[in-house]
Amino acid sequence: MSMVASASSHGCISAIASCIPCSSSKFSSQSSLTLSAPQRASTRRSFRVCRAMVQQAVQGAPAAYAKEMERLSAKESLLLAFKDAGGFEALVSGKTTEWQKIDVNERITGLERLNPTPRPTTSPFLEGRWNFEWFGSGSPGLFAARFIFENFPSSLANLSKMDVVIKDGNAKITANLTFLNSIDSKVILSTKLSVEGPLRMKEEYVEGGFVSPTIIEERVPQQLKGALGQAANAFQQFPAPIRDPVANGLKVPLSGSFQRLFMISYLDEEILIIRNTAGIPEVLTRLDAAPSSLGDSSPEYES
């Protein structure tokens, strides 16, 4: 608060100094006695402007503090709404109610209007590792998650979480899958990000991949251990040209096949909100440490 008070005091002094005429001014105490009516009216207007400047300087710091408190409160409210809605698992499994969806969307809109980053596409805050917290209806992420839950029982296949790493104009989206509650695998989608404006970006899908499953033996049901052991032995008998690529993970080139445009509607050190061309929101929360400051962001797009 001492820094706020210091900044406020400095602003007040600057405002007052700009309003006090110097000794050579034509509006000195002697000459002001002989001012004409229009001149006196002009002088009164000048003092009203000066008074408004001083009031604005005095009130500026508290107003900024109040707006920041409003933003932090809106963030906390949104995170609590995610929790009340059942979190990621309830969302992708279709258990989120219509009331919970509209409540979350209302809080998303409330936070977006308090966006503290005017040029998020070139902000250093954009880079890092982010966790997907919310998909709006119709988003690609929610469609993929629903496909798994609607076609496979949760005991057979489960999507536990999704995250994305953004670095140097590239993004790597990872979906963590669990099969039979004992086999972990990952689906990875690599994309290229291009800055299209202060808020708008283009995402081009470069490559898709499926990481070779990892068997967690202590979680394998007793009745399946024999079958999994036989499958593992049979896999080792495959020719090397088939066995090695599968063991190292399957990759599918996607260059030029798919792309999308999206807008960053909110970004700070903890939360990222994007909307696609249909206006459907996706909300992500940071998993790693944020940069210490915003720093200078330079434009990398053509208007």
Side-chain angles (χ1 to χ4, degrees):
M1 289 298 294
S2 60
M3 295 179 63
V4 174
S6 175
S8 178
S9 300
H10 179 74
C12 295
I13 293 172
S14 300
I16 294 171
S18 65
C19 296
I20 298 176
C22 63
S23 58
S24 61
S25 172
K26 65 179 180 178
F27 297 118
S28 64
S29 58
Q30 293 180 353
S31 61
S32 62
L33 297 176
T34 59
L35 291 177
S36 64
Q39 288 175 323
R40 287 196 297 273
S42 176
T43 302
R44 285 195 296 269
R45 285 194 298 270
S46 298
F47 278 113
R48 283 197 295 269
V49 171
C50 290
R51 183 169 58 188
M53 292 172 61
V54 173
Q55 290 175 343
Q56 183 177 9
V58 172
Q59 297 173 0
Y65 178 79
K67 185 174 182 179
E68 179 66 6
M69 291 300 100
E70 182 185 8
R71 186 178 70 86
L72 295 177
S73 176
K75 284 176 58 175
E76 183 68 19
S77 176
L78 178 59
L79 294 176
L80 288 175
F82 290 152
K83 184 177 180 180
D84 292 341
F88 182 82
E89 182 178 353
L91 176 67
V92 298
S93 62
K95 296 178 181 178
T96 307
T97 67
E98 293 299 315
W99 186 92
Q100 289 169 333
K101 291 178 184 177
I102 196 65
D103 181 57
V104 168
N105 284 319
E106 182 180 2
R107 295 170 196 268
I108 290 174
T109 304
L111 183 58
E112 286 174 324
R113 67 180 181 83
L114 300 170
N115 179 32
T117 311
R119 303 169 66 89
T121 56
T122 54
S123 168
F125 275 174
L126 182 60
E127 294 197 343
R129 187 180 177 204
W130 299 88
N131 183 59
F132 284 89
E133 295 282 355
W134 184 264
F135 303 105
S137 299
S139 70
L142 184 59
F143 176 80
R146 288 284 176 82
F147 176 82
I148 294 175
F149 275 90
E150 290 175 0
N151 291 277
F152 302 96
S154 58
S155 58
L156 180 61
N158 182 36
L159 175 64
S160 56
K161 69 173 184 176
M162 288 180 63
D163 62 66
V164 58
V165 176
I166 301 175
K167 182 68 175 178
D168 297 330
N170 297 289
K172 184 168 73 172
I173 305 167
T174 303
N176 294 270
L177 302 171
T178 301
F179 300 97
L180 300 173
N181 198 36
S182 56
I183 304 174
D184 289 344
S185 186
K186 296 178 180 179
V187 176
I188 298 176
L189 181 64
S190 299
T191 69
K192 179 182 178 181
L193 301 175
S194 304
V195 176
E196 298 283 318
L199 303 177
R200 188 172 66 247
M201 301 193 79
K202 181 172 70 173
E203 184 177 34
E204 299 176 83
Y205 299 161
V206 176
E207 184 181 73
F210 183 78
V211 177
S212 182
T214 301
I215 299 175
I216 307 174
E217 295 185 3
E218 59 270 20
R219 283 160 47 183
V220 176
Q222 189 65 35
Q223 61 270 27
L224 294 179
K225 286 185 177 181
L228 286 175
Q230 293 176 4
N233 292 332
F235 176 73
Q236 295 300 322
Q237 304 304 317
F238 283 10
I242 299 176
R243 183 184 67 246
D244 293 344
V246 174
N248 296 327
L250 300 174
K251 296 182 180 181
V252 180
L254 300 173
S255 298
S257 301
F258 305 97
Q259 67 179 30
R260 70 165 182 163
L261 292 171
F262 65 86
M263 177 187 71
I264 301 177
S265 57
Y266 182 91
L267 174 66
D268 66 12
E269 70 280 6
E270 295 177 320
I271 292 181
L272 167 64
I273 303 176
I274 67 175
R275 289 184 180 269
N276 62 16
T277 53
I280 298 170
E282 297 177 10
V283 183
L284 301 89
T285 54
R286 185 180 294 276
L287 291 172
D288 57 3
S292 57
S293 64
L294 276 171
D296 296 328
S297 58
S298 57
E300 300 176 1
Y301 63 93
E302 296 181 0
S303 59

